[in-house]
Every structure is written in structure tokens, then in C-alpha cells.
Amino acid sequence: MFQRLRRLVLVSTGAASFLAAAIVGVLAYPDPLYGYRVTEGRLSLLSDQPFDAAKGRAVLADIERRLAFAPPAIVDPDSTYRIFVSNSEWRRRLTFLWSYGAGGVNYYPIAGSVFLRQADIDRDRLIRWDGSDVPLPRSLAYYGGQEIGHSLIGKRIGARANWRLPAWIREGVADYVGFGGEVDIEALTRQLRAGDRELDPKASGLYARYRLLVTYLLKREGWTIDRLLASNLSQAEAERRLLAGVPAD
């Protein structure tokens, strides 16, 4: 009986290990699952559906523009990145794993790949589950830049430190990169004070609140990105500093 149980455990463990290794392999090199590809400089855009190559390159050029506005210490002009657009549900199930409902995922440090859900590349738009467009200004290029932003953070501080970052710092910096550094501190602070739903990540699913806090510390208080990433500053303290530093109208 003990020997049978032991064999069963060994078989189950082996099967689980094999499955985990297979998933990691797919995430590290998913290229064969995506038949349409365009490359612009160090960025590649791959999809499981055809798209206009010129418009795909325009999306990549916009992503590169956004990455150029990342804080200088994490700017990484030499690394290459692949952006995979998963239009079919089975590819999303396979590549998004536990983050199936997200707009995009990044498994740093696995390869240099990020995965986005269904999109209309020709129109530079990510598509919601109901078939409608994700509203601007969150274009396909925004999502590509935002997900690559996670790789920039991870490369700067390492995978373990990246996983341990407070969510507001991790997502706020990536959102800052995705928006190309374009943040209206006064306008967003007014929205925050007014209780605007967009500034509530749990209600809206957006990271505008976090982006605002990151931008305030970098631009108004003069923090370096390295100081921010190493600070372990609480969100409550960041908000206290913001509200004290930005006068109410």
C-alpha cells in the first residue's frame, strides 16, 4: 500500500513538474502560436490574426515613444521586447493563466515577452470582453508600454524585489511609462479630492491614482526612481504628502 501511494505521489509530482515546465516554455517562446508579426527596431508585435503591417509599425513607434519618457534610471534602450496579442480565447487562457481577466500580463523575468488580450491593431485599440473598445487614452500602444514598464522595473531592481513592491508603486510606475509621462497633477488631484470613480482602482480597474502619486513624488518632490523603488513607502503616506503639497482650488 505504501509503495503504491509513493508511486502515485511520484507520478503526480512528475506530471505537475512537466506541466509547469511546459507552461514556462510556452510563455518564454510563444512565437509559433502567433502567425502574424511585424518588427520595428527592438520591438516586435505578434498576433494570431492578420493586421496591416504599416499600422502595426505605427503602434510600435508609439510604444517606443512612450518608453523614452520612462525615468532615466530605468530607460533600457538595448533590450528587445515582444508583444503578443491573443485574440482567440484558448490562447488567452493559455498565456494569461490566473490573470485571465486582465488587459495585459508580464511574467518578468521570463524572456522579453508581454501578452495583451484581443485588439484591433489597425485602429490601435484594445477590445473589451463585450466587443467594445477600451476608451482612449488607453490605446493599444498604452497597454504595450505599460506592460513593458513592468519589465523595466524588474530589470532595475530584480525579480524578487519587483514582486515585493507595494502595488501602488509597481503599477503606478508602469502606468506612468504607459502614458509616456503625461500626467496632469492638478487635474488628477482635483478628481481624487472629489472622490472620482476613476481614481479608485478597485472600482474602475485603472491605475490613475497610483500614477498620480508616483508623478507627484518624482516631479514635485524630486525623488529619484531608485529612491521610490527602494522606499517601501505606504500608499497612505504618499497620499498625505500629495494632498499637503498640492493646494486645493
Side-chain angles (χ1 to χ4, degrees):
M1 179 67 179
F2 176 77
Q3 291 297 328
R4 290 182 180 177
L5 180 60
R6 183 171 181 271
R7 282 196 296 270
L8 179 61
V9 170
L10 290 174
V11 169
S12 299
T13 301
S17 298
F18 175 80
L19 178 60
I23 291 173
V24 170
V26 168
L27 296 179
Y29 189 68
D31 302 53
L33 302 179
Y34 298 82
Y36 306 92
R37 174 175 186 150
V38 67
T39 298
E40 181 75 10
R42 68 198 181 110
L43 302 180
S44 294
L45 181 62
L46 299 93
S47 176
D48 55 357
Q49 291 184 2
F51 61 91
D52 184 279
K55 293 178 179 177
R57 291 191 182 92
V59 170
L60 293 178
D62 190 10
I63 294 173
E64 190 67 80
R65 178 190 66 80
R66 294 165 190 263
L67 296 179
F69 283 93
I74 64 171
V75 168
D76 179 21
D78 299 320
S79 293
T80 59
Y81 298 97
R82 294 170 299 163
I83 302 154
F84 295 89
V85 175
S86 301
N87 292 287
S88 66
E89 182 174 355
W90 73 266
R91 286 184 180 84
R92 291 195 300 277
R93 294 282 183 185
L94 179 63
T95 56
F96 278 59
L97 301 177
W98 54 84
S99 300
Y100 180 73
V105 290
N106 181 321
Y107 298 106
Y108 182 87
I110 298 176
S113 306
V114 301
F115 299 89
L116 303 180
R117 69 179 184 222
Q118 63 266 42
D120 186 332
I121 295 175
D122 292 353
R123 295 191 301 112
D124 189 21
R125 303 298 290 275
L126 208 71
I127 306 299
R128 291 169 162 167
W129 305 112
D130 62 3
S132 64
D133 293 344
V134 173
L136 294 175
R138 291 170 178 82
S139 62
L140 177 58
Y142 155 78
Y143 278 96
Q146 197 258 7
E147 290 301 333
I148 292 174
H150 285 296
S151 293
L152 298 181
I153 298 168
K155 187 170 183 180
R156 184 66 177 178
I157 64 176
R160 178 176 295 182
N162 183 34
W163 294 332
R164 296 175 66 181
L165 275 178
W168 78 267
I169 296 178
R170 181 175 59 252
E171 298 297 348
V173 172
D175 210 52
Y176 178 89
V177 173
F179 270 89
E182 297 177 4
V183 185
D184 188 330
I185 292 175
E186 276 70 27
L188 286 177
T189 303
R190 284 194 296 271
Q191 289 179 254
L192 178 63
R193 286 190 166 111
D196 191 312
R197 182 178 182 276
E198 182 178 338
L199 273 291
D200 181 351
K202 291 182 179 179
S204 67
L206 305 176
Y207 300 125
R209 190 187 199 108
Y210 303 157
R211 173 167 40 95
L212 168 61
L213 298 176
V214 164
T215 306
Y216 173 76
L217 291 172
L218 295 178
K219 299 296 186 182
R220 296 293 173 84
E221 294 204 2
W223 285 37
T224 65
I225 188 65
D226 286 330
R227 178 185 176 186
L228 177 61
L229 295 175
S231 70
N232 202 34
L233 187 71
S234 71
Q235 181 180 335
E237 174 60 15
E239 291 183 7
R240 185 195 67 78
R241 299 174 75 116
L242 168 77
L243 295 175
V246 179
D249 292 342

